Amino acid sequence: MEILIANNLTKIYGKDDTAVTAVNHIDLTIQKGEFTAIVGASGSGKSTLLHLLGGVDTPTEGQVIIDGENIYDLKDEKRSILRRRKIGFIFQTYNLIPVLTVKENIVMPVLLDGNKVDDKEVDDLIELLGLTERKNHLPNQLSGGQQQRVAIGRAVINKPAIIIADEPTGNLDKKNSEEIMALLTKAVKETGQTLVLVTHEMDIAAMADRIIHLEDGSIVSDTAK
């Protein structure tokens, strides 16, 4: 089943002689439950493509359809609601709220959606993340690997259809990177969620069901296992 479709997706920065095409007329279909890695050199358009797929940025041309809905046909408020409910974001820089504890950061999407927090479900997730003894700590009391675990928890707590991860292991050492990817792939496989991940590390990309290689904003190869 197709969960995400991009048609003629294009992003151009600047105009006329200063125009730079970051994403160049990309067509892409991603199936539900698929783990897709997007790779390419710095400046190839990986992060821009990811942000367009996740509704964070606005394309110059084209459309993105998530679960049958064209997200760029939606007004800003409705698009924000769709992002919150159907997409979980994980960033290289964690983006945790510094004055909130581990547990408070993780449940933030639930509260923003006006839903009641299921404490047992949250505690089970925190245990899966290996953060039980840290659940009342603030982000500045955690290691980088622990902060990224919190970011994963926050991304998956609402069970969104799609997890979008931008270099989630970029700031971590090899051991932490392996642990984070093991957690991420386990969480996705157990729930049937779709994972779209940007990475420059080919050993991370090798874990994916499919590897898409970008150059100059265009797909130059698309390989499924």
Side-chain angles (χ1 to χ4, degrees):
M1 176 184 171
E2 298 166 344
I3 189 69
L4 190 155
I5 302 169
N7 293 321
N8 194 38
L9 199 58
T10 304
K11 182 66 178 183
I12 300 172
Y13 294 103
K15 292 183 179 180
D16 301 324
D17 293 343
T18 62
V20 174
T21 302
V23 172
N24 190 10
H25 302 285
I26 282 179
D27 293 316
L28 176 63
T29 299
I30 293 175
Q31 302 296 320
K32 179 176 170 57
E34 189 173 58
F35 173 9
T36 300
I38 300 172
V39 302
S42 178
S44 60
K46 303 188 302 296
S47 291
T48 303
L49 174 59
L50 202 68
H51 294 163
L52 293 173
L53 295 177
V56 177
D57 201 356
T58 305
T60 306
E61 293 180 54
Q63 57 181 201
V64 173
I65 299 167
I66 293 177
D67 213 8
E69 195 159 21
N70 185 352
I71 64 174
Y72 292 109
D73 278 349
L74 301 175
K75 293 185 177 179
D76 290 345
E77 183 180 353
K78 287 192 174 181
R79 195 186 312 154
S80 294
I81 291 171
L82 180 143
R83 280 201 307 263
R84 189 164 67 239
R85 293 178 179 172
K86 294 194 175 182
I87 306 171
F89 292 94
I90 305 169
F91 300 100
Q92 182 176 349
T93 50
Y94 319 135
N95 288 359
L96 303 180
I97 299 173
V99 297
L100 299 184
T101 65
V102 165
K103 186 170 184 176
E104 289 168 341
N105 265 286
I106 288 174
V107 303
M108 182 56 63
V110 180
L111 298 176
L112 286 173
D113 221 18
N115 294 322
K116 186 177 179 181
V117 173
D118 183 329
D119 283 322
K120 184 182 184 308
E121 182 180 350
V122 176
D123 287 343
D124 287 347
L125 175 58
I126 288 173
E127 184 178 357
L128 173 67
L129 295 167
L131 293 169
T132 300
E133 295 181 1
R134 295 283 187 272
K135 72 177 181 179
N136 295 316
H137 286 56
L138 297 173
N140 66 4
Q141 298 172 306
L142 306 175
S143 68
Q146 289 169 337
Q147 289 185 63
Q148 193 59 295
R149 288 166 187 259
V150 178
I152 290 173
R154 181 184 57 192
V156 303
I157 188 66
N158 267 345
K159 299 182 179 65
I162 303 169
I163 304 293
I164 284 183
D166 193 358
E167 297 278 10
T169 61
N171 288 330
L172 305 177
D173 60 28
K174 182 175 174 56
K175 180 176 181 294
N176 272 304
S177 294
E178 290 172 350
E179 290 176 354
I180 290 299
M181 286 307 303
L183 276 171
L184 197 50
T185 52
K186 181 179 180 182
V188 168
K189 284 183 178 178
E190 287 184 354
T191 59
Q193 291 166 305
T194 302
L195 174 60
V196 184
L197 177 147
V198 157
T199 184
H200 66 276
E201 301 172 73
M202 290 310 297
D203 56 338
I204 298 294
M207 299 178 187
D209 303 312
R210 176 184 182 189
I211 300 175
I212 293 172
H213 192 154
L214 289 190
E215 284 183 14
D216 297 326
S218 298
I219 295 175
V220 293
S221 69
D222 185 346
T223 308
K225 287 184 179 177

